[in-house]
């Protein structure tokens, strides 16, 4: 029986953690993810869960201890944002190459500098090539649902890769919205017991983790990680189907919002998808064939599926909430273009960067973007791609 | 503990032959003997920082460690071990583990004094039930003998080379054992390879079987970096203790300071320097002032230590 609640994104993710009752959570505070370790600490203090919470002295140590705990045989997770994720960067690679199925609640925030505590995806995008599965959430409900599904994906024997559950800082993490929660017992049953095959604390069969492996083995290790990433596609969909049976909420690699017959599509991730959907609704009411494609799973990148979903689009706005300084486009736009090239599709693509450091993007902005797509206005000025809402 | 050399040495090896550490390497001897202090019936997990010890003992697909072992990165052996210990507490609490496990974090002076210092300090302050073992060879040996904050003044390293206008490293070494004692952890000990290894093994056993975060600093010479013949390693260690360059002592709860080896006759620092190529440039005519400066530093630190131990 679903529980109706009103929670912020951080409360939603923390509630999922409480329901999972993981073995170990090392964490270090950083805005805007700080509330997550705070809530978990209070659950421990009030005896609601018996997780070992380790208040480490840095994010680097947070991920190091999370890896150690997971390798030891525990279900382990951490939470962070921005500079915290940047400080973990070395460890993100070690987590995925050690094949420890850990989970990270990422509350997306801009990277310095200038130092800025507000939302954008430059932290998550900077970690996109670290061997982690990345799930992006539009709102508190999705952040909760993704969190409940995360360990199942990570721990699946065909995958054994860490999972990052992303939500936008403040916009999602701190805004209180209605939410439907599962019963505690339903979550416990869905997530299940963690029973790793090999682990450090196995008294009968010791294990060694993190070897020195040079030219004769390194490529095989990396390829096996890539195979896990490819195998995760099926697992992500299977678990989403199982979750839909339980919750009534369906998930896939992305959400298609009026895209089936759309000539003009905005491709976007995270909280700003809502503004795009509102604009889409307004224009649909006027008979415009517009749609929104909201990416949920950025890693693995659902290239073929995206191309199939966009096969009728005449023009696409590929909207990145991150700058990658490639000199060509935002990071998602680049991957989308590659996906369409492989599918021999050649729609017009307007690459746009928006919302950096928490800058607002409105429904009206989205309507103007649709108008440009329809009018064939793909003009860019200073850069080969377009910045939205930036001072000239 | 009543030290029984024969009994301790006949315990099963936990760091077994087949690894690729150098002949005459102090780190290997130190670690092999620290592991002898674990009761044979107890299990252990070793978290090892990147360094010689790691790359030479766990070259895929071989491991020289009979216990569970994790290498994570250079700067985080302590936090990794802390995570393992937290997992042990969680699984024990939930009835998933019965056996007794001991937790060791192992790093060289680079991974301990320098890049891993924050992780070490944090893990000690959180008082994880673990022992951090530093094998201190006084420079970054794995990358080719670069200076560390453990390198003594005037040592010749590849980033503090002696030359026509240089006498080697310009700064004094960091006293990490004292820094760890200042964390008021249950036990901090400093030792080296001496005689029948009683000092090392007794301290290792104390550290391993004292509840909470403990720290063991072992002077472990490196034949490549210190430039000595393999067979001279024990003489160098003894000279380090007899000159009081590396006093053997322990600190309980940051309060009870005890010197565990008092040299019969405190030898001049030259007795330590002359056994090693890294100080060859100091023992030339005209360098008497530098040697005197080094001697003064050793004397000052030894006197301060004696004062702490007599309180």
């Amino acid at each position: 029986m679903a529980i109706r609640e009103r929670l912020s994104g951080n409360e939603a993710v923390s509630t999922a953690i409480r329901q999972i009752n993981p073995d170990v959570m090392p964490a270090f505070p950083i805005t805007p993810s700080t509330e997550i370790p705070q809530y978990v600490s209070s659950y421990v203090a009030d005896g609601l869960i018996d997780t070992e919470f380790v208040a480490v002295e840095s994010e680097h140590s947070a991920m190091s201890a999370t890896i150690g705990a997971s390798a030891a045989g525990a279900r382990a997770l951490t939470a962070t944002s921005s500079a915290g994720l940047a400080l973990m960067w070395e460890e993100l690679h070690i987590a995925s190459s050690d094949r420890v199925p850990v989970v990270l609640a990422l509350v997306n925030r801009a990277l310095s500098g200038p130092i800025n505590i507000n939302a954008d995806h430059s932290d998550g995008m900077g970690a996109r090539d670290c061997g982690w599965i990345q799930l992006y959430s539009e709102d508190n409900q999705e952040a909760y649902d993704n969190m409940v599904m995360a360990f199942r994906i990570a721990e699946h024997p065909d995958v054994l890769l860490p999972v990052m559950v992303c939500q936008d800082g403040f916009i999602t993490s701190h805004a209180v919205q209605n939410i439907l929660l599962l019963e505690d017992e339903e979550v416990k049953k869905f997530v299940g017991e963690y029973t790793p095959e090999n682990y450090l604390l196995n008294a009968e069969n010791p294990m060694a983790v993190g070897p020195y492996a040079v030219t004769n083995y390194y490529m095989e290790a990396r390829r096996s990680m890539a195979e896990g990433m490819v195998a995760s596609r099926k697992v992500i969909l299977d678990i989403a189907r199982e979750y839909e049976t339980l919750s009534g909420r369906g998930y896939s690699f992305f959400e298609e919002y009026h895209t089936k017959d759309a000539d003009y599509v905005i491709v976007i991730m995270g909280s700003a998808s809502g503004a795009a959907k509102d604009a889409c609704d307004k224009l649909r009411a006027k008979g415009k064939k517009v749609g929104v494609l909201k990416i949920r799973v950025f890693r693995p990148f659902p290239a073929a599926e995206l191309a199939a979903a966009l096969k009728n689009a005449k023009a696409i706005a590929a909207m990145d909430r991150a700058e990658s300084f490639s000199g060509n486009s935002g990071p998602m736009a680049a991957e989308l273009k590659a996906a369409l090239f492989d599918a021999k599709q050649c729609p017009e693509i307007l690459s746009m960067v928006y919302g950096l450091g928490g800058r607002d993007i409105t429904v009206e902005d989205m309507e103007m973007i649709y108008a440009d797509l329809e009018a064939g206005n793909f003009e860019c000025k200073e850069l080969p791609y377009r910045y939205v809402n930036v001072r000239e | 503990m009543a030290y029984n050399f024969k009994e301790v040495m006949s315990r099963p090896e936990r760091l077994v032959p087949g690894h690729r550490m150098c002949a005459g390497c102090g780190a290997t001897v130190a670690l092999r003997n620290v592991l002898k202090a674990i009761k044979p019936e107890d299990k252990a997990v070793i978290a090892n920082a990147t360094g010689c010890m790691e790359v030479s003992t766990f070259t895929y697909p071989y491991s020289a460690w009979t216990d569970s072992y994790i290498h994570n990165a250079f700067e985080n052996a302590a936090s990794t071990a802390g995570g393992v210990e937290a997992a042990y507490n969680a699984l024990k609490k939930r009835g998933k583990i019965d056996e007794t496990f001991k937790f060791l974090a192992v790093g060289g002076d680079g991974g301990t004094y320098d890049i891993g210092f924050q992780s070490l300090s944090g893990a000690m302050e959180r008082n994880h039930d673990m022992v951090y073992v530093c094998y201190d060879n006084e420079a970054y040996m794995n990358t080719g003998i670069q200076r560390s904050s453990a390198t003594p003044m005037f040592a010749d390293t590849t980033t503090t080379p002696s030359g026509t206008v240089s006498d080697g490293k310009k700064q004094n070494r960091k006293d990490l054992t004292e820094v760890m004692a200042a964390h008021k952890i249950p036990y901090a000990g400093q030792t080296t390879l001496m005689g029948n290894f009683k000092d090392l093994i007794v301290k290792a056993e104390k550290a391993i079987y004292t509840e909470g975060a403990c720290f063991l600093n072992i002077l472990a010479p490196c034949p490549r970096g210190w430039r000595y013949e393999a067979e001279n390693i024990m003489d160098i260690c003894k000279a380090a203790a007899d000159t009081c360059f590396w006093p053997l002592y322990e600190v309980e709860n940051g309060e009870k300071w005890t010197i565990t080896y008092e040299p019969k006759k405190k030898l001049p620092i030259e007795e330590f320097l002359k056994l090693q190529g890294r100080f060859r440039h100091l023992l030339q005519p005209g360098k008497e002032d530098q040697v005197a400066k080094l001697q003064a530093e050793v004397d000052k630190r030894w006197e301060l230590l004696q004062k702490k131990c007599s309180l």
Side-chain angles (χ1 to χ4, degrees), chain A residues 23 50 64 90-91 200, chain B residues 60 68 72 75-76 93-94:
Chain A
D23 297 305
D50 60 355
S64 303
E90 173 192 35
E91 290 298 300
L200 295 170
Chain B
Y60 188 82
S68 274
N72 188 332
E75 69 279 51
N76 60 1
K93 190 163 60 183
R94 294 177 180 191

Side-chain angles (χ1 to χ4, degrees), chain B residues 44-72:
Chain B
V45 179
I46 292 113
N48 198 172
T50 309
C52 288
M53 201 69 205
E54 181 271 323
V55 299
S56 305
T57 60
F58 186 20
T59 310
Y60 188 82
Y62 304 108
S63 172
W65 305 81
T66 63
D67 293 293
S68 274
Y69 173 93
I70 179 168
H71 159 250
N72 188 332

Side-chain angles (χ1 to χ4, degrees), chain A residues 43-305:
Chain A
Y43 302 150
V44 173
D46 293 335
L48 300 177
I49 55 174
D50 60 355
T51 301
E52 287 285 324
F53 181 80
V54 188
V56 287
E57 82 299 330
S58 71
E59 290 91 352
H60 193 281
S61 281
M63 187 48 67
S64 303
T66 304
I67 291 168
S70 181
R75 185 176 269 155
L77 83 168
T78 187
T80 197
S81 295
S82 181
L85 191 73
L87 187 58
M88 287 180 186
W89 194 76
E90 173 192 35
E91 290 298 300
L92 296 177
H93 281 267
I94 290 168
S96 56
S97 66
D98 282 348
R99 311 302 293 269
V100 288
V102 303
V103 169
L104 188 156
L106 179 67
V107 181
N108 293 105
R109 164 186 154 183
L111 290 171
S112 292
I115 186 168
N116 179 310
I117 59 170
N118 296 308
D120 73 32
H121 298 157
S122 30
D123 49 6
M125 286 295 114
R128 69 188 184 272
D129 296 337
C130 293
W132 284 62
I133 291 164
Q134 288 190 328
L135 310 177
Y136 283 82
S137 318
E138 179 183 342
D139 55 20
N140 61 344
Q141 184 72 63
E142 290 192 7
Y144 171 80
D145 292 337
N146 285 334
M147 199 67 196
V148 175
M149 285 185 265
F151 277 112
R152 288 286 306 278
I153 298 166
E155 292 166 6
H156 193 285
D158 295 344
V159 179
L160 289 177
L161 287 172
V163 174
M164 212 174 275
V165 175
C166 310
Q167 60 170 312
D168 287 354
F170 291 112
I171 301 167
T172 307
S173 69
H174 284 62
V176 175
Q177 292 179 284
N178 291 329
I179 189 169
L180 291 171
L181 301 174
L182 297 170
E183 300 275 0
D184 291 359
E185 280 312 309
E186 288 177 317
V187 173
K188 272 190 182 47
K189 199 168 157 232
F190 179 81
V191 178
E193 282 284 306
Y194 178 46
T195 51
E197 193 184 341
N198 298 300
Y199 54 105
L200 295 170
L201 295 172
N202 182 347
E204 272 73 54
N205 189 15
M207 176 174 71
V209 179
Y212 180 64
V214 280
T215 38
N216 49 355
Y217 287 108
Y218 185 83
M219 280 188 77
E220 285 74 13
R222 302 309 272 190
R223 187 184 58 188
S224 113
M225 290 162 64
E227 287 167 354
M229 190 57 84
V230 170
S232 75
R233 293 180 199 275
K234 180 177 183 303
V235 173
I236 290 167
L237 295 180
D238 286 350
I239 288 168
R241 264 190 294 275
E242 195 186 323
Y243 190 73
E244 186 175 3
T245 312
L246 177 68
S247 68
R249 291 182 293 280
Y251 288 97
S252 183
F253 296 133
F254 44 81
E255 180 188 347
E256 295 172 75
Y257 194 79
H258 299 299
T259 49
K260 291 277 182 282
D261 66 340
D263 292 329
Y264 309 107
V265 179
I266 287 177
V267 179
I268 197 163
M269 307 196 302
S271 61
S273 312
K277 287 176 184 173
D278 272 3
C280 176
D281 288 347
K282 284 172 80 173
L283 295 172
R284 279 271 163 186
K286 293 179 190 165
K288 303 278 187 189
K289 290 166 87 175
V290 294
V292 178
L293 193 148
K294 181 189 76 189
I295 295 177
R296 169 185 174 240
V297 181
F298 189 77
R299 283 287 180 269
F301 193 73
E305 294 83 354

Side-chain angles (χ1 to χ4, degrees), chain A residues 22-44:
Chain A
D23 297 305
V24 178
M25 179 170 182
F28 186 79
I30 181 167
T31 307
S33 65
T34 304
E35 289 180 330
I36 298 173
Q38 284 178 333
Y39 286 125
V40 172
S41 301
S42 70
Y43 302 150
V44 173

